[in-house]
Amino acid sequence: MKKTIVNVRPFSEGKIKSKCSIVVEDGRIVSVGNMIMGDVIDGGGMIACAGYIDLHTHGGWGMDCMEPTYEAIDTVAKYQLSTGITSFCPTTMTADIADVEAALANMRSYKTNGARLAGAHLEGPFLSPKAAGAHPLDKLLNPDKNNTAFITRNRDMVRRITVAPDLAGAPFVTALCSSLGIQVSIGHDGSIDDEIYACIEAGASSVTHMGNCTSHASRRYPSPKKHLGLFETALADDRLVCEVIADDRHVPDPLFKIFYRLKGKDGICFVSDSLSVAGMKDGDYFLGSGESAQAIRIEDGVAVLPDKHTYAGSVTPVSRMVSRLYEQGYPAEDLLTMATLTPAKLTGLTDRGDIRPGLLADINLLDERLNVVKTLML
């Protein structure tokens, strides 16, 4: 059945166009222009952009993507949709491989009632103990032919993976994943430029939560040379797209200005890196359960450990990043690109991320301040 969204300004191919109509049939965009067919939806003169894509999220509304239950992944998908995300990569944590595979099996069986699952993001276990962040040190692995076999087994579900370049097996697993069509992001590392370039040559194309657990310029004794770290390499190398948590905490606004100047709209991809407590009210919560449960607090828009010296993770959705940066004067078209076109291109999601004929009819309607007013999945 055909439907037409009338009286909208589509964000298409990187530009906000004049008012027109978008015709949809069987979940796909049929035309963008003056045609009106079937049921009519009045867009009220708002901007119509593709639904946002979040490539790095661990959960929301009290549920975690690692929980191997229908309720967990369904809750996360509905949370994402409530924030204007129509496609997301549920992200695993470093754990026993059997637990990771159980989470992947749960994702595989899920028939979405919320945002679309765009394939999983494996954040771990191939991370550096030098920058593990919240990942358990005793579960980290150096990739080899044996412990990477689960990736090949689950190639149908894995969209992307984070790998630390300073691990001896990093070039191997990067090349393996690239050959399987899995996008490789580098991060949680203690790398120097030579190791980073080896992974880029093997196929790595992005940096995981830039500015958080990313290495800096350093020396490797006894060599007298000072090497660039991942932070500096990412800013200088156009082959790397930077994931950015633009919440003014994980990436302070003055630092985002530097990222934007050096990387531009095509080199930045907004991600939430949201925790299970995203979407919850300020207060005290626990991540995990039993002996491994970690007390955290949501306060003033960020999740922190109770001593307030360490961020526990993000609770800011991508939609809020877009609107708050627009308030600071960044161009609307560039911000929308970072939330739609760039993540789609980075991960090979060729059927979404823009308002064009043939693509999925996943559409956000935005007001003049780029707030998401309504999300349509037609």
Side-chain angles (χ1 to χ4, degrees):
M1 182 178 180
K2 291 185 174 66
K3 299 179 182 179
T4 303
I5 309 170
V6 301
N7 191 23
V8 289
R9 293 175 290 150
F11 173 67
S12 178
E13 298 181 308
K15 299 293 181 182
I16 298 175
K17 307 294 180 65
S18 301
K19 285 184 183 179
C20 65
S21 300
I22 302 170
V23 179
V24 174
E25 184 176 19
D26 296 330
R28 298 273 175 169
I29 297 171
V30 174
S31 71
V32 181
N34 297 318
M35 295 177 59
I36 299 178
M37 305 176 71
D39 294 341
V40 172
I41 302 170
D42 187 355
M46 290 186 284
I47 296 170
C49 74
Y52 296 156
I53 300 170
D54 191 353
L55 301 180
H56 188 161
T57 171
H58 295 279
W61 279 351
M63 294 292 178
D64 192 286
C65 296
M66 284 294 290
E67 298 177 61
T69 67
Y70 177 90
E71 180 187 10
I73 199 66
D74 185 55
T75 299
V76 175
K78 289 175 178 174
Y79 163 72
Q80 290 289 340
L81 186 60
S82 77
T83 71
I85 297 294
T86 55
S87 293
F88 73 107
C89 289
T91 302
T92 63
M93 285 285 289
T94 297
D96 290 332
I97 288 177
D99 292 336
V100 175
E101 289 203 271
L104 293 174
N106 184 52
M107 297 171 195
R108 182 182 290 112
S109 65
Y110 178 63
K111 305 300 181 184
T112 186
N113 291 309
R116 303 177 193 273
L117 273 63
H121 171 192
L122 303 179
E123 190 179 20
F126 307 121
L127 310 179
S128 174
K130 297 177 182 177
H135 294 258
L137 293 173
D138 62 331
K139 303 295 183 182
L140 298 177
L141 298 173
N142 180 41
D144 59 34
K145 290 183 179 179
N146 293 322
N147 61 28
T148 57
F150 84 99
I151 300 174
T152 302
R153 288 196 298 269
N154 293 280
R155 61 188 297 179
D156 64 313
M157 274 307 299
V158 179
R159 170 70 56 176
R160 62 197 308 254
I161 185 173
T162 293
V163 176
D166 49 316
L167 300 179
F172 160 73
V173 73
T174 299
L176 169 67
C177 290
S178 297
S179 72
L180 296 174
I182 296 169
Q183 189 262 324
V184 179
S185 192
I186 46 182
H188 279 284
D189 74 305
S191 309
I192 58 174
D193 45 19
D194 293 341
E195 297 161 336
I196 296 162
Y197 293 138
C199 285
I200 295 174
E201 293 297 329
S205 55
S206 69
V207 176
T208 297
H209 44 52
M210 176 68 171
N212 295 272
C213 294
T214 44
S215 59
H216 289 273
S218 62
R219 287 177 63 187
R220 286 276 180 90
Y221 293 98
S223 171
K225 180 182 177 180
K226 192 167 188 178
H227 294 268
L228 297 182
L230 181 55
F231 186 88
E232 297 83 14
T233 302
L235 292 177
D237 198 313
D238 290 339
R239 293 175 293 179
L240 292 175
V241 172
C242 294
E243 287 186 7
V244 175
I245 309 170
D247 62 356
D248 196 30
R249 271 75 169 181
H250 292 80
V251 174
D253 289 341
L255 183 56
F256 179 80
K257 184 180 292 186
I258 295 172
F259 292 171
Y260 177 71
R261 286 179 176 176
L262 294 177
K263 301 298 293 185
K265 60 184 173 61
D266 299 319
I268 293 174
C269 167
F270 291 134
V271 297
S272 71
D273 194 9
S274 63
L275 297 172
S276 61
V277 293
M280 313 279 277
K281 296 179 181 179
D282 283 7
D284 293 312
Y285 299 91
F286 286 92
L287 293 179
S289 60
E291 295 181 358
S292 63
Q294 171 66 62
I296 65 167
R297 178 173 300 148
I298 301 178
E299 186 174 276
D300 192 26
V302 68
V304 296
L305 299 182
D307 61 11
K308 299 187 181 180
H309 294 307
T310 305
Y311 288 145
S314 169
V315 294
T316 302
V318 168
S319 55
R320 178 56 187 149
M321 297 176 193
V322 171
S323 61
R324 64 178 297 277
L325 289 172
Y326 183 65
E327 292 171 0
Q328 297 179 32
Y330 290 92
E333 293 170 338
D334 288 3
L335 295 172
L336 295 178
T337 295
M338 297 178 214
T340 58
L341 292 165
T342 300
K345 181 179 179 181
L346 175 65
T347 52
L349 293 169
T350 57
D351 62 347
R352 67 199 76 178
D354 203 1
I355 302 295
R356 289 187 287 110
L359 300 191
L360 291 171
D362 298 345
I363 298 170
N364 280 333
L365 298 181
L366 314 175
D367 66 17
E368 70 280 358
R369 301 178 68 180
L370 299 192
N371 296 304
V372 176
V373 175
K374 191 171 186 178
T375 301
L376 304 170
M377 296 181 71
L378 301 174

